[in-house]
Amino acid sequence: MKSIILKLLHQGYEFIAFSFCCGFVASFFIPIKGFLLFVIAVTFADMATGIRAAKKEGQKINSRGLYRTIEKLVTYWVGIIIFELTKNTFSLQIPITYMVAFLIATVELYSISENIKRITGVELGVLITRFFKK
């Protein structure tokens, strides 16, 4: 243990401070990485299905629509990070980050479902209820 500490001290205090900061930041983001990655996936899936639906309907694809994807992505990330910070700061026992991520997922999945209906003409909700009625 003594040799490890001596090796770290030889690296310099800047290295130690940088390592400490990286560890602190990683300890915050690692528990919510699944939420952040899921938000990326559903946002880009919504964009892809939206583009496909617009092409099918003969609508023009413009930069404003693509900008909205980035805007949503940043907003969702900020929302998840802020609520995780709130949970950690106030030591809340309520899984508030899960609730926020669930709401974001619901909005995006509903949008994807609408886009699929525009593309195929079939509502996913109807298909799912028919599947479970059998």
Side-chain angles (χ1 to χ4, degrees):
M1 182 70 170
K2 184 178 176 184
S3 65
I4 293 173
I5 294 172
L6 288 174
K7 285 180 184 178
L8 282 175
L9 289 175
H10 285 256
Q11 296 292 327
Y13 292 109
E14 296 86 9
F15 177 78
I16 295 170
F18 180 74
S19 299
F20 180 77
C21 290
C22 287
F24 182 74
V25 169
S27 71
F28 175 76
F29 281 104
I30 288 174
I32 61 172
K33 75 178 181 310
F35 297 130
L36 299 175
L37 292 174
F38 182 74
V39 164
I40 291 171
V42 294
T43 304
F44 281 114
D46 181 36
M47 179 188 69
T49 57
I51 289 172
R52 174 100 186 220
K55 282 184 179 179
K56 182 172 188 217
E57 295 171 351
Q59 297 176 358
K60 184 180 173 186
I61 308 298
N62 57 25
S63 62
R64 175 68 186 135
L66 298 175
Y67 175 76
R68 276 194 355 238
T69 299
I70 302 302
E71 195 174 56
K72 285 190 326 185
L73 191 61
V74 169
T75 304
Y76 291 158
W77 270 45
V78 167
I80 289 172
I81 290 169
I82 291 297
F83 279 98
E84 182 68 13
L85 279 170
T86 302
K87 186 186 89 157
N88 291 344
T89 301
F90 297 110
S91 300
L92 299 176
Q93 298 302 318
I94 302 168
I96 194 165
T97 309
Y98 284 86
M99 291 187 284
V100 169
F102 179 76
L103 289 174
I104 291 169
T106 303
V107 168
E108 285 301 306
L109 292 174
Y110 187 74
S111 178
I112 292 168
S113 174
E114 288 177 338
N115 290 336
I116 290 173
K117 181 182 177 192
R118 288 170 52 201
I119 295 168
T120 63
V122 177
E123 280 193 48
L124 288 179
V126 172
L127 285 177
I128 292 170
T129 54
R130 284 183 190 165
F131 178 76
F132 285 112
K133 283 185 178 179
K134 291 182 180 182

